[in-house]
């Protein structure tokens, strides 16, 4: 049995994730902004070892609030990746947050491409 995914399969999964992410951000815009701010702070500023678990718990809480049912959005994917059981080295949190921010940048570019606004005088 062949378990390899085709390019069309991967593109379909990505589009499904983007649409689920759009629905989540539409329902919880403030939580989305808070998540982006927290991830940016983790990437740019050092996290004290005593603040590591509260920071991760806060990050996981925001991710689970954005996608509580696990609909396959970017938030659900990173919720699984950022859990302390998934990160074996604490320094990997910064890399995961950087990856999360790059996924969210790709999501925002896709969302802007989906809008077709015209200026009418």
């Amino acid at each position: 049995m062949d378990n390899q995914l085709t390019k069309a399969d991967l593109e379909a999964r990505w589009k499904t994730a983007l649409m689920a992410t759009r629905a989540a951000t539409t329902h919880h815009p403030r939580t989305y902004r808070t998540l982006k701010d927290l991830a940016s702070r983790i990437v740019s500023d050092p996290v004290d070892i005593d603040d590591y678990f509260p920071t991760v718990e806060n990050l996981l809480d925001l991710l689970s609030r954005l996608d509580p049912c696990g609909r396959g959005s970017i938030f659900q994917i990173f919720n699984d990746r950022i859990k302390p059981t998934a990160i074996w080295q604490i320094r990997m949190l910064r890399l995961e947050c950087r990856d999360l921010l790059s996924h969210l940048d790709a999501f925002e570019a896709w969302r802007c491409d989906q809008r077709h606004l015209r200026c009418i005088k």
Side-chain angles (χ1 to χ4, degrees):
M1 187 163 166
D2 191 18
N3 290 334
Q4 300 230 351
L5 295 172
T6 65
K7 181 181 175 185
D9 293 337
L10 292 173
E11 287 175 353
R13 282 186 182 186
W14 178 240
K15 187 172 182 177
T16 302
L18 290 173
M19 290 190 303
T21 303
R22 180 174 54 190
T25 57
T26 302
H27 289 17
H28 305 287
R30 182 176 292 169
T31 306
Y32 175 64
R33 286 190 301 272
T34 305
L35 173 71
K36 285 186 65 171
D37 289 342
L38 179 60
S40 296
R41 271 190 280 132
I42 291 171
V43 168
S44 63
D45 300 335
V47 177
D48 189 44
I49 192 70
D50 293 333
D51 295 332
Y52 172 73
F53 283 111
T55 302
V56 170
E57 288 175 4
N58 190 11
L59 192 61
L60 290 172
D61 179 52
L62 292 169
L63 289 168
S64 64
R65 272 195 269 164
L66 284 163
D67 193 359
C69 300
R71 295 188 180 124
S73 70
I74 293 172
F75 309 118
Q76 188 240 339
I77 294 167
F78 278 92
N79 193 5
D80 296 337
R81 288 175 55 178
I82 292 179
K83 288 182 181 176
T85 56
I87 296 178
W88 294 98
Q89 294 180 354
I90 293 175
R91 65 180 173 218
M92 298 301 284
L93 177 64
R94 180 169 281 139
L95 294 175
E96 291 295 336
C97 286
R98 185 175 293 146
D99 195 23
L100 171 64
L101 289 172
S102 66
H103 274 76
L104 294 178
D105 287 343
F107 160 70
E108 289 176 2
W110 173 81
R111 187 170 61 176
C112 287
D113 288 343
Q114 297 299 310
R115 292 190 179 133
H116 303 288
L117 300 176
R118 293 181 186 199
C119 185
I120 299 173
K121 290 184 179 182

